[in-house]
Amino acid sequence: MTKWNAADIPDQIGRTAVVTGANTGLGLEAAKALAAKGARVVLAVRNLEKGEAAREWISRSVPEADLQLQRLDLGSLASVRDAADELKDKHDRIDLLINNAGVMTPPKETTTDGFELQFGTNHLGHFAFTGLLLDRLLPVTGSRIVTVSSIGHRFSRGIHFDDLQWERSYNRLVAYGQSKLANLMFTYELQRRLVGQRTTALAAHPGGSDTELARHLPRAMQAAIPVARLLFQEAAMGALPTLRAATDPSALGGQYYGPDGLGEQKGHPKVVTSSQQSYDIDQQRRLWAVSEELTGVTFPALQDTPA
């Protein structure tokens, strides 16, 4: 049986895709693949200079690519709001929103709004961005919201509601795991609220991919990276689960895609399962409520429904 790859992406002509963190790694590869299939792709990036370099890189391989740049700093709710407003001014419809950008295991830092950097950027920034763009997605039949999680979500046994911002202590790996667990809980709760709508929510993870994301790993783990790279796959392969979740006509809302190889480290995309904690509906609802409170962003078109 032939395994799913980028050649299986359906024609994307006439569709608009917004990809966060599209200037490097997985986001860059996803943007390139979508552009190659005819999508208009918005590269939503924090650094416009790097975004311009990414646009030029894609254009060299896909000369006909329809690419736009949008400044977006997920660590600033003001920037998130500005970016969403600008995108809504430019686009009447959005077919794909790929919440890809993220930070991994930095030293203790906070966002502009005082949130722990990983939770604030990886989860809260994307939660707010999605909510603010939702009215451009809901009218579009077949529109999708894909949020990129990680195997690392298993580092966290649950959401630390008693110390969400890690003010009492800080473990960078567990904090990363919490942010990636939050990505999954957000996706599952969002999909539950989207039932009956034209839009679906899915999640994906890249397995072990050779990208810049690991640059903040603790020094002891950095030393192991040259050996670990032997187990990693290239970013183009790591982007395939995201691309399948975003474009495969058979993909269903609430599904989670990852590599099919040993330990989901590498391989072609398939539907996978996440940790037991990620499926806890009460925790999903609690995280949703806290996220609305912290960001000030609500999803008025979506009502909470019984499980």
Side-chain angles (χ1 to χ4, degrees):
M1 182 177 178
T2 303
K3 296 190 175 185
W4 199 94
N5 58 52
D8 295 308
I9 299 173
D11 188 347
Q12 299 294 302
I13 292 174
R15 308 191 83 203
T16 297
V18 178
V19 184
T20 72
N23 61 294
T24 187
L26 305 173
L28 178 61
E29 293 291 350
K32 175 185 173 184
L34 292 169
K37 290 291 185 172
R40 174 186 297 110
V41 182
V42 179
L43 312 178
V45 299
R46 185 170 59 87
N47 185 310
L48 289 178
E49 184 176 344
K50 291 181 178 180
E52 183 58 46
R55 177 160 62 179
E56 292 175 1
W57 181 82
I58 294 172
S59 295
R60 286 196 291 271
S61 299
V62 188
E64 70 279 12
D66 184 351
L67 304 170
Q68 299 177 9
L69 287 182
Q70 174 61 55
R71 186 178 185 282
L72 169 66
D73 180 356
L74 289 161
S76 164
L77 290 175
S79 175
V80 170
R81 290 182 180 278
D82 288 346
D85 286 344
E86 290 170 13
L87 285 171
K88 288 192 286 187
D89 284 344
K90 295 175 184 175
H91 302 283
D92 293 332
R93 59 179 281 165
I94 295 173
D95 298 81
L96 297 175
L97 172 58
I98 298 181
N99 292 322
N100 162 82
V103 292
M104 178 180 176
T105 65
K108 178 67 183 297
E109 296 181 51
T110 57
T111 67
T112 301
D113 304 286
F115 307 131
E116 186 274 317
L117 185 63
Q118 297 180 93
F119 186 71
T121 301
N122 298 351
H123 169 60
L124 292 175
H126 280 128
F127 178 93
F129 195 51
T130 301
L132 293 167
L133 290 179
L134 194 62
D135 62 358
R136 291 296 186 268
L137 288 146
L138 289 178
V140 182
T141 300
S143 56
R144 295 185 189 180
I145 300 161
V146 178
T147 300
V148 179
S149 184
S150 167
I151 294 174
H153 81 275
R154 298 180 184 275
F155 296 158
S156 177
R157 295 184 178 181
I159 303 298
H160 294 222
F161 288 107
D162 61 338
D163 188 19
L164 271 179
Q165 311 308 334
W166 297 84
E167 293 171 325
R168 293 200 292 268
S169 64
Y170 180 64
N171 181 310
R172 64 175 76 185
L173 285 172
V174 180
Y176 175 69
Q178 174 179 261
S179 73
K180 295 286 101 179
L181 177 61
N183 288 154
L184 285 164
M185 288 185 164
F186 166 55
T187 296
Y188 297 152
E189 177 68 11
L190 176 59
Q191 174 56 33
R192 194 166 59 81
R193 293 171 182 244
L194 284 168
V195 171
Q197 301 282 352
R198 297 182 176 94
T199 306
T200 53
L202 302 92
H205 81 80
S209 296
D210 193 0
T211 71
E212 295 179 2
L213 194 62
R215 63 187 179 276
H216 292 303
L217 283 172
R219 188 171 300 175
M221 298 182 70
Q222 288 278 359
I225 286 180
V227 175
R229 279 204 169 99
L230 298 176
L231 305 175
F232 291 171
Q233 58 188 357
E234 294 181 352
M237 281 294 294
L240 288 182
T242 298
L243 289 165
R244 185 168 190 180
T247 66
D248 187 342
S250 68
L252 302 175
Q255 288 183 325
Y256 178 40
Y257 283 85
D260 63 359
L262 181 65
E264 299 174 19
Q265 283 290 324
K266 59 199 304 184
H268 292 263
K270 69 170 185 176
V271 176
V272 297
T273 57
S274 52
S275 68
Q276 181 178 349
Q277 290 84 358
S278 69
Y279 296 113
D280 187 320
I281 292 177
D282 288 339
Q283 295 290 291
Q284 292 167 12
R285 286 171 164 161
R286 185 177 180 186
L287 177 64
W288 187 282
V290 168
S291 300
E292 287 191 329
E293 180 181 352
L294 292 176
T295 64
V297 174
T298 60
F299 292 57
L302 305 183
Q303 298 297 317
D304 189 10
T305 57

